[in-house]
Amino acid sequence: MKVLFLSREPAVCRLMAKKLGRDEFECTVADDVMGFYNSVMDGNLDTDIVVCDFRIFQLSIFNVYEFLSKSTTIIPLIFYNDPFPDGNGRIMYWIAQNEQLYNAPCLESFIPLFEKINAVIEDPSVHPYISLLQPPLPLPGDEDEAGTAGRKIDVRLFRKRNRLQPGLYKLFQIFYENQMKELSLAELSLHMWGTRSKQNTVYSYISRLKKCIQSDCLVKIDILRTSTGYYEMTVY
């Protein structure tokens, strides 16, 4: 199946295409809107589906579904970074968009592809880099927006950006896998070294880790002491 990614963020779409699998799908990534327009007008758009950046068209002015419906071949189009649906809701949303707005034929045959695209979008190594899908940071001092449980980041890239040494990276992983959950120094010591007797060392590691991550340029993370001997990570 041929898949055309049309986007202002081609690097992200190339990553998505790689994750889809080149053996099963023939993916092309483009950012040339006029080239797309001319291909449709000339009747030589060689693809089975268009996976589109929500920002590529001024949708309030240009109805891309109406435009495609006038072409010689009905080609489904989905917006991979539409901010409205999330999770598994995207799949039914994509189907409804095409069937209702675009008068497309039944899209059941596309459901396996939609599921794979959605899985790629939700992949922690891809999702943080897709525009329009990131939840906003809370306003300073807004206690009702204290963080997001399970917020996904690429921990390997985070480690590289902040130059975390192996011990600090292991501690970071333990906190990250238990976001917004209180962890005692004894528990952390057990996870780190298999013994509860190195709590003072854990305390030192936490202090060093906080200094390493406090100025990250892409994500805000806090490690707070919740009570004596207990700490909690929040990823915003």
Side-chain angles (χ1 to χ4, degrees), residues 7-121:
S7 176
R8 290 186 179 181
E9 44 189 19
V12 172
C13 288
R14 283 193 290 269
L15 177 59
M16 293 173 65
K18 182 179 179 180
K19 293 283 185 178
L20 276 178
R22 293 170 181 166
D23 294 336
E24 189 174 357
F25 302 103
E26 182 183 336
C27 298
T28 302
V29 178
D31 59 1
D32 182 3
V33 176
M34 287 307 302
F36 168 79
Y37 180 87
N38 290 331
S39 294
V40 174
M41 293 295 293
D42 295 340
N44 59 7
L45 183 62
D46 186 21
T47 189
D48 296 306
I49 186 170
V50 181
V51 181
C52 196
D53 184 345
F54 193 75
R55 305 166 304 157
I56 204 78
F57 302 112
Q58 295 185 36
L59 296 174
S60 61
I61 300 173
F62 177 71
N63 187 329
V64 65
Y65 290 103
E66 182 179 348
F67 170 66
L68 285 173
S69 69
K70 297 176 181 177
S71 66
T72 56
T73 304
I74 297 296
I75 300 173
L77 180 145
I78 62 174
F79 292 102
Y80 67 85
N81 58 343
D82 188 325
F84 171 67
D86 57 13
N88 291 327
R90 289 192 189 94
I91 297 168
M92 295 308 299
Y93 182 75
W94 290 335
I95 292 172
Q97 263 190 323
N98 283 268
E99 289 184 346
Q100 295 176 20
L101 301 179
Y102 184 27
N103 293 322
C106 182
L107 298 179
E108 286 185 2
S109 62
F110 283 89
I111 290 178
L113 173 60
F114 288 171
E115 290 174 341
K116 290 181 180 181
I117 293 174
N118 189 56
V120 169
I121 291 171

Side-chain angles (χ1 to χ4, degrees), residues 1-233:
M1 181 176 288
K2 295 181 179 180
V3 180
L4 171 63
F5 286 90
L6 184 63
S7 176
R8 290 186 179 181
E9 44 189 19
V12 172
C13 288
R14 283 193 290 269
L15 177 59
M16 293 173 65
K18 182 179 179 180
K19 293 283 185 178
L20 276 178
R22 293 170 181 166
D23 294 336
E24 189 174 357
F25 302 103
E26 182 183 336
C27 298
T28 302
V29 178
D31 59 1
D32 182 3
V33 176
M34 287 307 302
F36 168 79
Y37 180 87
N38 290 331
S39 294
V40 174
M41 293 295 293
D42 295 340
N44 59 7
L45 183 62
D46 186 21
T47 189
D48 296 306
I49 186 170
V50 181
V51 181
C52 196
D53 184 345
F54 193 75
R55 305 166 304 157
I56 204 78
F57 302 112
Q58 295 185 36
L59 296 174
S60 61
I61 300 173
F62 177 71
N63 187 329
V64 65
Y65 290 103
E66 182 179 348
F67 170 66
L68 285 173
S69 69
K70 297 176 181 177
S71 66
T72 56
T73 304
I74 297 296
I75 300 173
L77 180 145
I78 62 174
F79 292 102
Y80 67 85
N81 58 343
D82 188 325
F84 171 67
D86 57 13
N88 291 327
R90 289 192 189 94
I91 297 168
M92 295 308 299
Y93 182 75
W94 290 335
I95 292 172
Q97 263 190 323
N98 283 268
E99 289 184 346
Q100 295 176 20
L101 301 179
Y102 184 27
N103 293 322
C106 182
L107 298 179
E108 286 185 2
S109 62
F110 283 89
I111 290 178
L113 173 60
F114 288 171
E115 290 174 341
K116 290 181 180 181
I117 293 174
N118 189 56
V120 169
I121 291 171
E122 291 296 316
D123 188 322
S125 67
V126 178
H127 192 277
Y129 307 103
I130 299 176
S131 63
L132 305 183
L133 299 185
Q134 308 312 311
L137 292 175
L139 292 172
D142 188 347
E143 296 180 356
D144 293 331
E145 297 291 340
T148 304
R151 171 75 185 272
K152 297 176 181 178
I153 63 174
D154 188 325
V155 294
R156 293 169 299 177
L157 290 178
F158 187 88
R159 176 189 188 182
K160 186 175 182 180
R161 284 200 309 272
N162 295 285
R163 300 179 180 178
L164 297 182
Q165 297 174 356
L168 295 182
Y169 179 55
K170 184 175 182 179
L171 179 62
F172 176 82
Q173 285 181 301
I174 295 168
F175 272 120
Y176 178 74
E177 291 167 3
N178 295 275
Q179 289 178 50
M180 303 184 76
K181 175 183 176 182
E182 288 186 329
L183 297 174
S184 69
L185 291 175
E187 288 177 287
L188 292 167
S189 177
L190 186 62
H191 282 298
M192 291 283 291
W193 297 287
T195 176
R196 297 176 180 270
S197 64
K198 293 190 175 183
Q199 297 182 37
N200 288 337
T201 306
V202 174
Y203 179 80
S204 175
Y205 269 53
I206 292 173
S207 297
R208 291 166 56 194
L209 179 60
K210 290 171 69 174
K211 290 179 181 179
C212 288
I213 68 177
Q214 64 183 0
S215 59
D216 186 81
C217 59
L218 296 181
V219 63
K220 176 176 171 55
I221 296 177
D222 281 335
I223 299 176
L224 302 175
R225 190 177 73 168
T226 55
S227 60
T228 303
Y230 285 81
Y231 292 81
E232 178 182 299
M233 174 183 280

